[in-house]
Structures are given as C-alpha cells and as structure tokens.
Amino acid sequence: MSEEYVVDAGHAGLRADAGVAGLLGISRSAAAVLLAEGNVLQAGKPVGKSVRLPEGAVLKITIPERRDPLDVVEEVVEGLNVLLDDEDFVVIDKPVGVAAHPSPGWVGPTVVGGLAGLGYRISTSGASERAGIVHRLDVGTSGVMVVAKTEHAYTVLKRAFKERTVEKVYHAVVQGLPDPLEGTIDAPIGRHPGHDWRFAVIEDGRPSVTHYEVLEAFGKATLVEVHLETGRTHQIRVHFSALRHPCAGDLTYGADPRLAATLGLTRQWLHARSLTFAHPRSGEPVEVTSDYPADLRYALEVLESGKA
C-alpha cells in the first residue's frame, strides 16, 4: 500500500529517517528500514536516510506487508547438516549466522526453519517458534546442537540442560597464552552496565563457571578446550575477555582486529565441539562431535604455518 505525504514545516529540514518517522508515527529505526529498502520516493527516486527533507516535498511511501517475526518459515539453510537422527531428537551441525529460533528483530535463517525445510515436523510443549529447542548457540557460534522431536524428549532434555547433566565441550582460539595452562574461571556474569548488547563479569551477576585446558599454543594465539559448568549468554567470550585473552576475531569483546584480519576471521573463533547426554528413553549415553567449519580451519592453518 502506497500513500503520499507532504513534508510540512514541522518536519522540514530533518533527516529523512527522522522526518519519515514523524510523518508515519513510527520509530526512527523502522523508518530507516523503509528508506533502505527503497520504499520512500520523491519525484520517483528513492530517498536516502540522511537527506534533509525540504518543506513541501511530496513523498510516496510504500508500507510493505511484513510477516510475523515469530512465524516459522521453511527454508534451506546452507551448512545445516544432520549429525544424528533419532526417533526422539535430531543432532545438527549449526553453521555460523544462524539463530536457534525466530525472534523479534532477527530476519536471518534459523535452526527451526532449516529443520522444517528438511521435512522435520517437531512438536513440543514449547512455544511454536521455539519448537524442540532445548538449548541455544549464539548466532556467531557454530557447532553441535540437539533439538527434541517429541514431547517426551523435550521435557527430558530440557531438564538435563537445566540440571547441568549434559557435557558441553567447546573449542576456542584465544589470543595469547592463558596462565595457568589448565584452570577454572569462576566469575559472575551479567549485563554490561554500559552496553545492553554486551555482557561482563560483574559483582552481582549470575554464577558462571568455565573449565579450560590448553590444547596447542601458537605464539599469538592458543587453541583451548572448554567445558561449561554453567551456560550463560556469551559465557566463554566474556570469561576469556576478562582474562585479557579474548577469542580471536571477537571484536565485541576486545580482540585485535589486525590478528582477526590475518586469520581471515569475521567472527569469534568458537565452536561447539561435542555434546554428551543421556538418551531420553534408554538413558544410554549419546555423544556427538562436530568438525570445524572452513573459516575456523583456515584460521588454524594460518596459525600452524607461523604466518600470523
């Protein structure tokens, strides 16, 4: 649906994103999206978000139909591979850039949508958009992830993660060389006081425990194996950043951008290597391992070559 709006004196001189927001009564970020998508025209030409609006200008604004951000969309997710398909659950290799489930503000691919695209019909007592999700990996973290296929498996696996009976092993490349070479980081984590989108070690944060051991040292960086006792958001990234050994490539938490560029990293070197849990019906141990994806393998090869 398109409508024409005349820029009045009250909106004249404003940047287009601010002016359109005022004319439509929407947020500035939502107006910026309309402008970026070419949905705001003046004299038949798209208006840039930083352009100043002249008084009397006629804007033709199209409001596209938006799907509900929580709808599950069947999609082909490149790199999302099934590692183990069981009657009660499916274990996948989650690629980087994929969220666990739909959420407001996220427009990229999801595990739930990718499984739907592969023909999986997952029914659980969880919210429909989170079907089968019993734990999550960050969008920027790759690796092994289990998704429940049945109500029974959802209940059992959800409890197992809550009670910390699932063995979660990660591999990370961190800058420098941690001292000692094997240890435990026991430091509470909470929202960063100055940045809502970041987390930090803070006194009144939630208890967070990370165990690590060095696997291989390369000089400028080190490959470590990490066992999580708790599962806080960004826990590994925050804990190693607090030790002044941030994950290579993790610019959000203080990584060196020059080293990231040398290693070809556009995200943190962090991979969910394996999961071990009790089968929801038999109780027998299930262990699944995920290989490093291409970008992380390349970074390791650079480090091994001594060119970093």
Side-chain angles (χ1 to χ4, degrees), residues 14-30:
L14 296 177
R15 279 173 45 117
D17 49 2
V20 170
L23 289 168
L24 298 181
I26 60 176
S27 70
R28 188 164 177 169
S29 59

Side-chain angles (χ1 to χ4, degrees), residues 16-241:
D17 49 2
V20 170
L23 289 168
L24 298 181
I26 60 176
S27 70
R28 188 164 177 169
S29 59
V33 171
L34 288 175
L35 289 155
E37 293 178 344
N39 289 315
V40 180
L41 304 179
Q42 181 185 358
K45 296 181 180 180
V47 178
K49 69 177 183 179
S50 59
V51 170
R52 299 287 173 176
L53 297 178
E55 185 175 357
V58 178
L59 304 179
K60 183 177 181 181
I61 303 177
T62 302
I63 309 296
E65 291 187 12
R66 305 283 189 189
R67 68 174 180 85
D68 187 326
L70 299 184
D71 285 347
V72 175
V73 177
E74 293 186 14
E75 54 191 333
V76 175
V77 178
E78 186 177 353
L80 191 154
N81 299 314
V82 173
L83 300 174
L84 177 62
D85 192 357
D86 183 89
E87 181 181 351
D88 288 286
F89 58 84
V90 57
V91 183
I92 62 152
D93 212 352
K94 187 191 85 68
V96 65
V98 179
H101 54 73
S103 62
W106 176 252
V107 296
T110 67
V111 168
V112 172
L115 286 173
L118 291 173
Y120 287 88
R121 296 295 176 262
I122 296 171
S123 175
T124 76
S125 54
S128 60
E129 74 275 6
R130 301 187 182 187
I133 299 298
V134 294
H135 72 121
R136 291 177 291 179
L137 295 178
D138 292 344
V139 170
T141 300
S142 54
V144 64
M145 185 173 166
V146 61
V147 181
K149 290 167 65 175
T150 64
E151 299 282 352
H152 175 74
Y154 182 86
T155 300
V156 173
L157 290 173
K158 193 79 172 176
R159 183 189 310 125
F161 277 96
K162 183 178 181 180
E163 296 177 351
R164 304 176 187 173
T165 61
V166 178
E167 177 70 12
K168 298 176 286 186
V169 178
Y170 291 75
H171 282 187
V173 168
V174 300
Q175 293 183 187
L177 179 64
D179 182 18
L181 302 183
E182 182 175 347
T184 295
I185 309 168
D186 187 349
I189 291 175
R191 290 279 181 184
H192 192 291
H195 305 278
D196 287 342
W197 42 272
R198 285 179 58 185
F199 292 81
V201 170
I202 57 175
E203 187 175 352
D204 59 347
R206 300 176 69 187
S208 308
V209 181
T210 301
H211 307 284
Y212 74 89
E213 60 180 297
V214 168
L215 296 179
E216 191 170 0
F218 303 104
K220 290 187 178 179
T222 303
L223 176 65
V224 297
E225 181 167 291
V226 179
H227 295 251
L228 289 184
E229 190 171 313
T230 54
R232 309 302 178 210
T233 303
H234 296 182
Q235 179 172 320
I236 296 171
R237 301 167 64 189
V238 170
H239 270 171
F240 279 99
S241 177

